[in-house]
Amino acid sequence: MAALVLKILAPTLRRVGVIDGPSPFLWLPALAIGLLLLMSPAYLVVRSLGAGQEFMEALLRWRVLELLLRTLLLVGVVTFASLLIALPLAWLTVRSDLPMARIWGVLVTLPLVIPSYVAGFAVVVALGPRGMLQGFLEGLVGLERLPDINGFPGAALTLTLLSYPYVFLTVRAAMLRLDPSLEESSRGLGYSWRATFWRVSVPLLRPAMAAGSLLVGLYTLSDFGAVSLLRYETFTWAIFIQYESALDRTLGAAFSLFLVALALAFLLLEYFTRGRTRYYRVDQGVARPAQTVPLGRWKWPSFAFCGLVALVSLVLPMAVLAYWVVRGVAAGEPLLLLWEAAGNSLLVSALAAGFAVLAAFPIATLAVRHSGLLSSLLERITYVGFALPGIAVALGLVFFGANFARLLYQNLALLIFAYVVLFLPAAVGSVRSSVLQVNPRVEDAARSLGRTPPQVFASITLPLVRPGLLSGAALVFLLTMKELPATLILRPTGFPTLATSIWSAASEAFFAQAAAPALLLILASSVPLAFLMLRGRQ
């Protein structure tokens, strides 16, 4: 029935510019996904309307403006710093003769598995005024105190080290699909590799850079763990205070709705930055690998740059966690390896990654192949959940489950759906970047030769967009592994995960017991990530 209605309305919708092209097999799942994604914002609207005049009074306070400016400053700095780190990393690991390029590609991605609250603890313990670095320097040069890392410097540093992989993965996936003949033509005209990179590669990578930057901005906008531990007040902090202290959940819903408005502003900025340029070849050509760029005298400085990024973003937090484990064991605390929690985390993360990629493909394909008002709106809707605090999304789904879907309440399916709502943009951005680089004439040619749409998808489209699919799945998997607020609220009774185990131990100040599952979380995530990254390079 839905397909029949859409088929009848399609000509009218195309005339008014809402959709472009009859694609019911794409539109039906995309529309269904879009409606489901609106449940949590709808809950926020209902709760905010209950605030009445208090809603407007709260948003017009000077305190709200101060929090807004502090949040925007943090988002801008973290996004810019992430681009500066990720862009050269992607080029070095894909285009150059960097030693151990594949290994570096995995290592610089692993910070995604580190929860922000764990990274915040690591930064405070390692770089704080009386931290591990200060203790080392005091014995070496007599330094008694380091500058205070709390506040904006610590929050910006922590979130940058956790966020740059968003840009790295999306840019890397797009770089793997770039036509090497364009760069070779530039070199043939006398341009150096440096000039070719800035004049040819970077403009072609603009959609991937915009998608990655959007993810960084939304992640920073919605983070609570790092900013709370490092004492930098942001808009999200106020929302969590309202929810967790139960002072005024209606006001917290109003603040969350304001955060959605900020997210929509970021989406519009990314939309205008992206532009409508085509990024695929006009002729079919011959697929071949790109020429490897010799780094020459820059080989070992580049190697050191990759090592420094991995050291600060990955090795340092793991070293701090290992220190907690050793210190706890030496003090007689039990060391528990939570295999059940690890298995549960792997299960829900794999399911969330699979469903997120399935949901992302029709939306990303419509946004690229059938550009119009509705397809653009559907793509924008997917990013709303990523900007919301996990607790706001979870409470919206609890309201839905308790009132309209009792069978799903306290069910694993509702938890998986929450992960998809929260992290679908990670899959959409990567899939869209890959679909954007597939010439539709190749698919049209296959259909003209008698191939059915499923055959074209399986034999033509899927192999060409595989890097984006794998990158999107890796992003969702890693984000799900460390998600905490939604997991605490929606997980079935008696279903522990590594994230909830870390939180339970840390909240009771059992740092050794918190460090052990944190290390296990990183190790459990690194194996499938390494597989996905290495497969994506082939």
Side-chain angles (χ1 to χ4, degrees):
M1 178 62 70
L4 179 60
V5 172
L6 185 61
K7 184 176 181 180
I8 295 173
L9 294 179
T12 303
L13 294 175
R14 286 196 296 275
R15 281 198 300 271
V16 299
V18 174
I19 63 174
D20 179 18
S23 307
F25 293 105
L26 291 175
W27 280 110
L28 287 178
L31 289 172
I33 293 166
L35 291 175
L36 291 173
L37 293 175
L38 291 175
M39 284 195 302
S40 291
Y43 161 77
L44 296 177
V45 171
V46 172
R47 292 300 300 263
S48 299
L49 291 178
Q53 185 64 27
E54 186 181 0
F55 172 68
M56 294 303 302
E57 292 177 356
L59 296 184
L60 293 177
R61 297 173 186 171
W62 284 107
R63 179 61 173 166
V64 174
L65 178 60
E66 179 187 358
L67 290 173
L68 174 62
L69 294 176
R70 291 168 66 89
T71 300
L72 293 178
L73 175 63
L74 183 64
V75 169
V77 170
V78 171
T79 303
F80 181 72
S82 297
L83 274 171
L84 290 181
I85 295 173
L87 195 58
L89 281 177
W91 186 85
L92 287 172
T93 56
V94 173
R95 283 287 193 265
S96 73
D97 63 345
L98 178 73
M100 301 166 50
R102 289 193 176 187
I103 296 177
W104 288 124
V106 175
L107 291 178
V108 299
T109 309
L110 282 176
L112 278 177
V113 309
I114 302 176
S116 62
Y117 49 88
V118 172
F121 273 123
V123 169
V124 171
V125 171
L127 304 178
R130 304 297 298 177
M132 297 168 62
L133 179 61
Q134 186 275 330
F136 173 76
L137 293 177
E138 184 177 10
L140 187 64
V141 297
L143 181 66
E144 296 184 357
R145 184 178 178 86
L146 287 174
D148 193 357
I149 194 68
N150 289 312
F152 177 78
L157 173 65
T158 303
L159 289 174
T160 298
L161 295 178
L162 297 179
S163 301
Y164 78 84
Y166 293 117
V167 183
F168 171 76
L169 282 176
T170 54
V171 171
R172 180 182 180 275
M175 195 170 289
L176 287 169
R177 294 292 309 149
L178 283 183
D179 183 1
S181 65
L182 299 175
E183 297 170 324
E184 293 167 6
S185 298
S186 175
R187 291 285 293 148
L189 293 174
Y191 289 103
S192 64
W193 282 114
R194 182 180 302 176
T196 297
F197 174 74
W198 290 109
R199 291 173 177 266
V200 177
S201 302
V202 170
L204 291 172
L205 294 171
R206 189 175 65 175
M209 294 168 60
S213 298
L214 178 63
L215 291 175
V216 172
L218 295 180
Y219 177 78
T220 306
L221 189 68
S222 63
D223 178 73
F224 172 75
V227 296
S228 61
L229 289 172
L230 290 156
R231 302 175 186 175
Y232 182 75
E233 293 182 278
T234 63
F235 207 84
T236 310
W237 197 345
I239 296 172
F240 270 77
I241 289 175
Q242 295 296 327
Y243 274 125
E244 293 189 338
S245 62
L247 293 176
D248 189 350
R249 292 192 174 182
T250 299
L251 188 58
F255 285 169
S256 297
L257 200 60
F258 189 78
L259 204 61
V260 173
L262 282 179
L264 293 176
F266 289 169
L267 295 173
L268 289 175
L269 179 62
E270 187 268 343
Y271 177 79
F272 289 115
T273 302
R274 174 198 305 170
R276 294 184 176 274
T277 307
R278 291 184 174 89
Y279 296 87
Y280 52 79
R281 293 178 52 150
V282 297
D283 61 328
Q284 182 175 352
V286 179
R288 54 189 175 84
Q291 181 180 352
T292 300
V293 180
L295 292 173
R297 61 191 178 94
W298 290 101
K299 176 180 293 187
W300 297 114
S302 300
F303 188 90
F305 169 70
C306 296
L308 178 63
V309 173
L311 175 67
V312 177
S313 62
L314 179 64
V315 177
L316 175 63
M318 293 189 68
V320 173
L321 293 175
Y323 167 78
W324 285 342
V325 172
V326 173
R327 183 175 179 177
V329 171
E333 294 187 20
L335 180 61
L336 303 176
L337 296 178
L338 307 176
W339 298 116
E340 180 185 1
N344 291 338
S345 294
L346 290 172
L347 173 64
V348 295
S349 299
L351 291 174
F355 283 110
V357 170
L358 289 175
F361 185 80
I363 294 175
T365 304
L366 286 172
V368 175
R369 292 284 188 265
H370 305 282
S371 179
L373 177 60
L374 186 55
S375 60
S376 298
L377 180 61
L378 285 172
E379 185 189 8
R380 300 299 92 186
I381 287 174
T382 63
Y383 288 86
V384 173
F386 195 79
L388 289 173
I391 193 170
V393 172
L395 290 176
L397 294 180
V398 167
F399 174 80
F400 168 77
N403 292 276
F404 304 105
R406 304 284 292 184
L407 292 177
L408 295 179
Y409 188 68
Q410 287 290 302
N411 191 284
L412 193 61
L414 198 61
L415 177 61
I416 300 300
F417 178 69
Y419 292 145
V420 174
V421 171
L422 288 168
F423 306 132
L424 183 58
V428 171
S430 294
V431 175
R432 186 188 188 280
S433 297
S434 289
V435 174
L436 195 65
Q437 294 175 321
V438 177
N439 191 335
R441 295 181 181 177
V442 178
E443 299 169 319
D444 293 340
R447 281 190 289 268
S448 67
L449 294 175
R451 295 287 185 94
T452 63
Q455 290 175 332
V456 173
F457 172 77
S459 61
I460 304 295
T461 308
L462 185 59
L464 292 176
V465 301
R466 187 181 64 172
L469 294 175
L470 293 178
S471 295
L475 280 171
V476 176
F477 183 93
L478 298 177
L479 290 169
T480 304
M481 285 288 291
K482 64 179 182 177
E483 167 59 28
L484 177 63
T487 309
L488 284 172
I489 295 174
L490 295 173
R491 66 190 173 107
T493 303
F495 190 83
T497 66
L498 288 176
T500 58
S501 300
I502 296 169
W503 180 84
S504 298
S507 63
E508 298 177 6
F510 296 140
F511 296 124
Q513 295 182 18
L519 283 173
L520 187 58
L521 185 152
I522 296 174
L523 295 175
S525 303
S526 64
V527 175
L529 172 64
F531 173 77
L532 290 173
M533 293 291 294
L534 295 177
R535 284 288 302 273
R537 181 64 184 265
Q538 295 176 0

